[in-house]
Amino acid sequence: MKTTPRAEPKPRPGAPAIRARTATLAAATLLLVAAACGDDDPADATPTSEAPPTSEATAPPSTATVGDTTTATAAPTLAATEAPSGLLEELLTLSSGFDEVDVWGDSPGEVRFITPNGLTIDDEGSIYLTDFQGGALRKLRPDGTILFKSGEAGPNPGQLANPIGVAVAGDGSILVSESGVSRISIFEADGTFRTTFAEQGGAPGLFQSAMGIAINDEDEVFVADFGNHRVQVFTTTGDYLRGWGEQGAGDGQFTNPIGVQIGPGGNVWVVDSGNERVQVFTPAGELVRIFDDVGPGPQIISLNNAGEFYVASPWVEARVRHFSPDGELLGHVGNSATEAELAGMTLAEREEMLQLDRLAGPHGTATAPDGTVYLADTANAVVRKFEPAGG
């Protein structure tokens, strides 16, 4: 298999990342459920207690005897405040590229989510969202108005068992990947349930937990097969076409792939979660490029029309990174801070960060043609809408 050189690793700011890998489907599901209950967000950890800064004061002068002469020595001056660590300023600078302009699900009378997860946008700008625990598929306008809701939690046809990814075909039909029962459900454009395909297994055309899903311009459906460590390709009616990948850490191999997305030129971008990287392939499965430095525990990816990409690291950092097409870190979407970063801040910096509206277990992202980013803030049970700063 012909490959191109790997992207040069880019430095990441902040404290050293704590490595975390999702080894099994059960572990991934438990983490998501735990985060939804607010038990697994490191940014919500209570900072260690610290003595308040001492106000400026002058201690009594001390004396020293030199020969027969007693002289007064200068009294020490206590610092009025701690010197800023710089971590808060660094994190706020990284998140300054986007302004949060709306939040869905946090006000009375609005649609309520349990664990919003997968996101995609169709050609008309409508947003499609899955709810992992709620077992629901929703279609929304860009202002957050609900156009329809389909499904309910459960394993039967028409129900959704832990839905993860969502994608829209050329005819408007909607395909949803269900990790709980290892299948794909198909809905009509108006949300009416049509049918399902695939089930649990290791043979071609079967899944060990269907995760991310994406559809290219030729209506080929690409699915991340988490437990079988591969990508599989189908027609929009469920006919198996091809697949590639096997378990491992080599080029073109996977360890628990989760996110999948179609990028510029039709290439297929796959979040190789267990190996903490993103691999890019042609639609036929030929390796094009590897991005090694995308953050710890990456899960979901989205791309904009310029080829910039966004990678969510939900659990270790509660962070969504924004990269250039060459893999250069451009910043973060939304505010976040790891436990290690909070511990490295001064008391005043920590208090300021803890007062900010911060991400918790962010998963799905989707980018509109105008650069607007929609983000499923899973453990906070809301969807956030961001626009590029400055219009």
Side-chain angles (χ1 to χ4, degrees):
M1 180 180 294
K2 182 179 179 181
T3 65
T4 59
R6 295 172 179 250
E8 288 296 321
K10 303 293 180 181
R12 293 200 301 271
I18 304 169
R19 294 286 173 174
R21 295 183 176 174
T22 310
T24 63
L25 170 61
T29 304
L30 287 173
L31 280 171
L32 186 54
V33 173
C37 298
D39 295 330
D40 209 27
D41 178 15
D44 281 335
T46 303
T48 29
S49 60
E50 182 171 324
T54 306
S55 59
E56 184 171 337
T58 302
S62 59
T63 59
T65 302
V66 181
D68 294 329
T69 305
T70 301
T71 59
T73 59
T77 300
L78 303 180
T81 59
E82 297 177 275
S85 71
L87 279 173
L88 176 65
E89 181 180 2
E90 182 177 51
L91 292 174
L92 295 182
T93 299
L94 283 167
S95 63
S96 64
F98 290 91
D99 295 326
E100 184 175 291
V101 296
D102 203 357
V103 183
W104 304 339
D106 67 337
S107 299
E110 288 187 337
V111 58
R112 308 300 289 183
F113 310 110
I114 300 176
T115 46
N117 200 332
L119 280 169
T120 195
I121 301 176
D122 67 16
D123 292 338
E124 297 179 351
S126 297
I127 298 98
Y128 300 79
L129 170 71
T130 61
D131 193 316
F132 182 85
Q133 284 182 278
L137 165 68
R138 291 180 174 89
K139 180 179 180 180
L140 306 95
R141 291 194 179 100
D143 64 0
T145 303
I146 293 288
L147 296 174
F148 68 69
K149 174 188 174 184
S150 297
E152 61 181 6
N156 299 320
Q159 296 178 322
L160 293 171
N162 301 133
I164 294 286
V166 57
V168 181
D171 65 355
S173 59
I174 309 155
L175 281 72
V176 177
S177 57
E178 298 176 70
S179 62
V181 288
S182 297
R183 73 182 178 199
I184 307 297
S185 280
I186 306 177
F187 296 83
E188 305 290 353
D190 63 0
T192 303
F193 172 72
R194 181 195 296 176
T195 189
T196 66
F197 68 85
E199 59 184 16
Q200 186 166 329
L206 306 180
F207 301 113
Q208 290 289 349
S209 185
M211 290 285 192
I213 186 170
I215 302 176
N216 66 10
D217 291 340
E218 285 69 45
D219 268 350
E220 294 181 323
V221 181
F222 298 80
V223 184
D225 188 357
F226 180 86
N228 287 320
H229 314 286
R230 64 191 178 190
V231 172
Q232 299 200 73
V233 190
F234 302 82
T235 67
T236 54
T237 56
D239 296 324
Y240 175 78
L241 297 175
R242 61 187 179 275
W244 70 86
E246 61 182 4
Q247 186 171 13
D251 292 356
Q253 296 179 319
F254 301 108
T255 300
N256 302 132
I258 297 183
V260 61
Q261 190 58 264
I262 307 300
N267 285 335
V268 184
W269 293 57
V270 183
V271 179
D272 184 8
S273 183
N275 291 317
E276 298 192 333
R277 63 187 181 180
V278 171
Q279 299 195 73
V280 184
F281 300 88
T282 68
E286 183 177 354
L287 183 64
V288 175
R289 190 168 189 180
I290 295 177
F291 295 92
D292 285 307
D293 197 15
V294 295
Q299 293 196 13
I300 306 297
I301 187 170
S302 67
L303 294 97
N304 64 20
N305 291 347
E308 297 171 346
F309 60 101
Y310 303 80
V311 179
S313 295
W315 305 123
V316 178
E317 295 183 329
R319 184 162 292 162
V320 176
R321 287 181 169 82
H322 175 205
F323 295 94
S324 75
D326 290 328
E328 178 185 358
L329 179 65
L330 300 177
H332 302 160
V333 182
N335 295 311
S336 63
T338 67
E339 188 173 5
E341 287 165 343
L342 287 171
M345 294 180 186
T346 66
L347 179 61
E349 288 175 323
R350 281 200 300 276
E351 289 176 345
E352 183 174 346
M353 174 56 79
L354 292 171
Q355 290 173 4
L356 297 177
D357 200 9
R358 293 170 295 121
L359 304 180
H363 272 72
T365 68
T367 309
D370 65 358
T372 298
V373 176
Y374 298 88
L375 173 60
D377 190 0
T378 305
N380 280 325
V382 297
V383 174
R384 302 185 186 276
K385 181 178 179 180
F386 296 88
E387 291 180 353

